[in-house]
C-alpha cells in the first residue's frame, strides 16, 4: 500500500511533515544547552523501534504499551495510536489492533535526554589508533537507555568531530576518570584480546568511609547483579556450599586517611558490574557518597519517563512522518526547542524524574596498563585529604 493511500484511509488531511532523527544523524554542537552546571540536550524527534515478543502477541497495541511501558499514561497511548505516532509495520492502525509475533512497532517520540554535569570531556592523548579522555562523572560512555547525545561518544563527535570511536572498557556512568577509545575496529580487537587474556591492569582510587586497614586487602566474593534493582550484592558460600553470582576479586591498598575518610587504591582483577563499589561495601568501608551501597536500604530512584526508551533495542529511520490532522501543532520554548503538545515531558528540558541534584561518585579510574603500554589520567580534587 502506497503512502498516499495509507493517508487517505487514515483520514489524514492538512498534514505537516517532520524529519525524524535516527542514529544516522550525528550529534552537533547546537544540540546542547548548558544551564546551571548541567549539560542538557535540546529535545528532538526520534523513532524508536521494537519487535513484538512472544509474550506481547495477542494484546491490543494500546494495552501492550500501557502494560509494558508504564512511563506514560494510558490516555497518551490511545492518542498516540490514533495520531499515528505509534505504528505497526509502518502502518497506522486502530486502537483495537491486536499485535502479532515479530511485527515491527514504531514509536515516534519527542525525545528528552537526562541532563549530565557540564564538565568538559578533556582529551588526554590523541594518537592515530587510540584516543584517551578524562570522563566526567554522570556522563555515560555510549548510547544506552535514555542517553544518546549526552554520552562521551556523542559529545566527542559533536565537539571534536571524532568518529567512529570504540570504547575498549567500561566505566559506570557515575564514575570518572580514564577512558580509552580505539579509533578503529582492529585496534579495539587488539585491546579486547589483551583484556580477555588477563594482561591488562586497572587502577582506581576511591574515597571511603572510615579508617581503611593499613595492610593490603584482597577481597574474593562473588558478585550477583540484579538488573531489576540496578544493583549488585557480594555473595559467599551458604551452608550447602553453594554461592550465587560470578567470581570476582579486587585488591585494595590504603593510600591515606584522616581518621574519618580514607583514600584507597583499588585494583580489580575481574570486571563485574559495580565490583569495586560492592567489594568496598563488603569490607565495611563503602564509598563515602555512594547512596546505592552506603546501606542495605536502596535509595529510591525515580524511573519516571524511562520506560518508553527501553523499547528501543534497535533504532530505525523514517525519512518523514505524516501527522494525523487531529495531532496538535508544535510550539517553541524560551530555549528555542519545539514544545510538543503530546509530549509528557514538555515544556521542561529534562525528562520527568530528574531533579538535577545528582553528583559523581568518589571513584576514579586513573591508570590502565598492558604489555608495552600505559595510559593515565590525573587525580580528581577529592583525592587529597587534609593533613
Amino acid at each position: 500500500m502506497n503512502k498516499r493511500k495509507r493517508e487517505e484511509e487514515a483520514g489524514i488531511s492538512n498534514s505537516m511533515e517532520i524529519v525524524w532523527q535516527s542514529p544516522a544523524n550525528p550529534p552537533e554542537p547546537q544540540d546542547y544547552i548548558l544551564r546551571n552546571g548541567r549539560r542538557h540536550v535540546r529535545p528532538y524527534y526520534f523513532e524508536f523501534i521494537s519487535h513484538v515478543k512472544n509474550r506481547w502477541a495477542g494484546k491490543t497495541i494500546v494495552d501492550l504499551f500501557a502494560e509494558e511501558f508504564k512511563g506514560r499514561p494510558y490516555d497518551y497511548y490511545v492518542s498516540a495510536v490514533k495520531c499515528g505516532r505509534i505504528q505497526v509495520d509502518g502502518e497506522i492502525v486502530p486502537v483495537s489492533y491486536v499485535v502479532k509475533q515479530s511485527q515491527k512497532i514504531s514509536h515516534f517520540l519527542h525525545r528528552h535526554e537526562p541532563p549530565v554535569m557540564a564538565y568538559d570531556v578533556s582529551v588526554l592523548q590523541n594518537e592515530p589508533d587510540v584516543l584517551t579522555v578524562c570522563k566526567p562523572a554522570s556522563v555515560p560512555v555510549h548510547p544506552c537507555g535514555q542517553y544518546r547525545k549526552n554520552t562521551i561518544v556523542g559529545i566527542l563527535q559533536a565537539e571534536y568531530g571524532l568518529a567512529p570511536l570504540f570504547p575498549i572498557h567500561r566505566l559506570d556512568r557515575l564514575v570518572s576518570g580514564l577512558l580509552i577509545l580505539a579509533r578503529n575496529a582492529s585496534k579495539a580487537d587488539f585491546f579486547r584480546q589483551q583484556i580477555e587474556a588477563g594482561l591488562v591492569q586497572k587502577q582506581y582510587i576511591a574515597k571511603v568511609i572510615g579508617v581503611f586497614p593499613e595492610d593490603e586487602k584482597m577481597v574474593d566474593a562473588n558478585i550477583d547483579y540484579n538488573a531489576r534493582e540496578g544493583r549488585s550484592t557480594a555473595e559467599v558460600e551458604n551452608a550447602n556450599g553453594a554461592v550465587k553470582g560470578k567470581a570476582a576479586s579486587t585488591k585494595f591498598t590504603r593510600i591515606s586517611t584522616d581518621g574519618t575518610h580514607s583514600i584507597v587504591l583499588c585494583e580489580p582483577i575481574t570486571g563485574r558490574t559495580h565490583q569495586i563499589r560492592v567489594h568496598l561495601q563488603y569490607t565495611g568501608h563503602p564509598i563515602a557518597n555512594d547512596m546505592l551501597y552506603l546501606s542495605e536500604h536502596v535509595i529510591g530512584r525515580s524511573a519516571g519517563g524511562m520506560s518508553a526508551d527501553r523499547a528501543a533495542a534497535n533504532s530505525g529511520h523514517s525519512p518523514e512522518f505524516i501527522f494525523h490532522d487531529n495531532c496538535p501543532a508544535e510550539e517553541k520554548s524560551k530555549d528555542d526547542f519545539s514544545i510538543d503538545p503530546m509530549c509528557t515531558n514538555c515544556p521542561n528540558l529534562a525528562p520527568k524524574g530528574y531533579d538535577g541534584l545528582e553528583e559523581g561518585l568518589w571513584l576514579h579510574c586513573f591508570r590502565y596498563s598492558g604489555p608495552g603500554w600505559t595510559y593515565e589520567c590525573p587525580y580528581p580534587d577529592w583525592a587529597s585529604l587534609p593533613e
Side-chain angles (χ1 to χ4, degrees):
M1 185 184 299
N2 62 40
K3 183 178 74 174
R4 175 51 57 195
K5 187 169 180 59
R6 291 201 307 269
E7 293 171 17
E8 291 171 355
E9 291 190 357
I12 296 175
S13 61
N14 299 321
S15 59
M16 67 176 180
E17 296 183 358
I18 282 184
V19 176
W20 294 82
Q21 294 193 29
S22 79
N25 300 101
E28 299 179 350
Q30 62 267 28
D31 292 339
Y32 300 96
I33 297 172
L34 303 182
R35 176 195 291 174
N36 299 327
R38 296 290 184 268
R39 179 192 293 267
H40 296 263
V41 172
R42 202 179 302 278
Y44 56 97
Y45 290 99
F46 195 80
E47 179 189 5
F48 285 103
I49 292 178
S50 58
H51 289 84
V52 176
K53 303 175 183 178
N54 289 341
R55 62 185 174 87
W56 296 357
K59 296 181 179 181
T60 68
I61 186 67
V62 172
D63 286 346
L64 164 60
F65 272 85
E67 293 171 12
E68 297 291 335
F69 309 117
K70 300 180 186 295
R72 290 173 170 79
Y74 187 90
D75 289 346
Y76 165 82
Y77 291 123
V78 172
S79 298
V81 172
K82 288 181 177 179
C83 190
R85 292 210 181 178
I86 293 176
Q87 298 185 6
V88 180
D89 289 334
E91 303 282 346
I92 296 172
V93 297
V95 294
S96 59
Y97 183 86
V98 176
V99 302
K100 305 176 184 65
Q101 183 179 344
S102 300
Q103 285 185 307
K104 185 184 84 169
I105 298 178
S106 297
H107 189 186
F108 299 91
L109 277 178
H110 194 232
R111 185 168 184 174
H112 292 239
E113 296 193 25
V116 299
M117 289 190 286
Y119 297 122
D120 291 335
V121 180
S122 56
V123 174
L124 301 172
Q125 290 179 271
N126 191 350
E127 302 172 354
D129 291 330
V130 180
L131 178 77
T132 67
V133 302
C134 186
K135 172 193 169 311
S138 85
V139 187
V141 172
H142 50 69
C144 57
Q146 283 190 294
Y147 299 89
R148 176 172 164 258
K149 298 182 181 183
N150 242 355
T151 62
I152 297 297
V153 170
I155 293 168
L156 287 172
Q157 185 169 14
E159 296 188 351
Y160 296 93
L162 293 167
L165 296 172
F166 303 83
I168 67 106
H169 62 100
R170 297 190 310 247
L171 284 181
D172 287 349
R173 187 175 64 83
L174 295 179
V175 175
S176 61
L178 176 68
L179 181 66
I180 306 171
L181 306 105
R183 304 291 299 274
N184 52 65
S186 61
K187 193 65 175 181
D189 191 57
F190 164 82
F191 283 117
R192 180 189 60 79
Q193 292 181 30
Q194 290 196 353
I195 291 172
E196 290 180 353
L199 300 176
V200 175
Q201 291 76 50
K202 301 161 279 186
Q203 294 178 297
Y204 295 70
I205 51 170
K207 184 176 181 178
V208 305
I209 287 178
V211 178
F212 198 85
E214 186 174 3
D215 294 334
E216 178 181 292
K217 186 175 184 62
M218 178 68 75
V219 174
D220 293 297
N222 280 25
I223 298 291
D224 186 34
Y225 179 65
N226 186 317
R228 182 177 294 275
E229 293 184 2
R231 73 193 305 259
S232 296
T233 52
E235 304 289 343
V236 294
E237 288 187 4
N238 59 25
N240 298 322
V243 59
K244 295 190 298 182
K246 298 179 179 179
S249 299
T250 313
K251 183 171 71 174
F252 297 108
T253 308
R254 191 180 82 191
I255 296 174
S256 62
T257 183
D258 63 2
T260 302
H261 297 103
S262 299
I263 301 298
V264 178
L265 168 65
C266 314
E267 299 176 275
I269 310 303
T270 52
R272 310 303 182 198
T273 302
H274 296 182
Q275 176 175 315
I276 294 174
R277 299 165 66 181
V278 174
H279 278 179
L280 283 169
Q281 180 198 44
Y282 181 77
T283 68
H285 299 276
I287 295 171
N289 68 343
D290 191 347
M291 301 307 293
L292 189 60
Y293 293 108
L294 274 172
S295 72
E296 292 301 319
H297 174 68
V298 180
I299 305 300
R301 294 173 300 160
S302 172
M306 295 183 70
S307 298
D309 283 339
R310 292 196 180 110
N314 298 292
S315 295
H317 175 57
S318 177
E320 60 180 23
F321 182 71
I322 307 299
F323 277 101
H324 202 292
D325 61 358
N326 63 4
C327 288
E330 63 180 2
E331 303 172 7
K332 286 287 185 181
S333 79
K334 61 183 177 62
D335 290 302
D336 193 30
F337 70 85
S338 298
I339 294 178
D340 188 292
M342 287 189 65
C343 178
T344 55
N345 293 310
C346 281
N348 298 319
L349 263 176
K352 289 181 179 177
Y354 290 86
D355 57 15
L357 300 178
E358 186 176 62
E359 66 172 321
L361 284 178
W362 289 336
L363 178 62
H364 180 86
C365 178
F366 71 92
R367 183 181 294 123
Y368 259 62
S369 58
W373 58 269
T374 297
Y375 295 106
E376 296 182 337
C377 182
Y379 279 15
D381 292 341
W382 54 255
S384 298
L385 295 176
E387 296 293 337

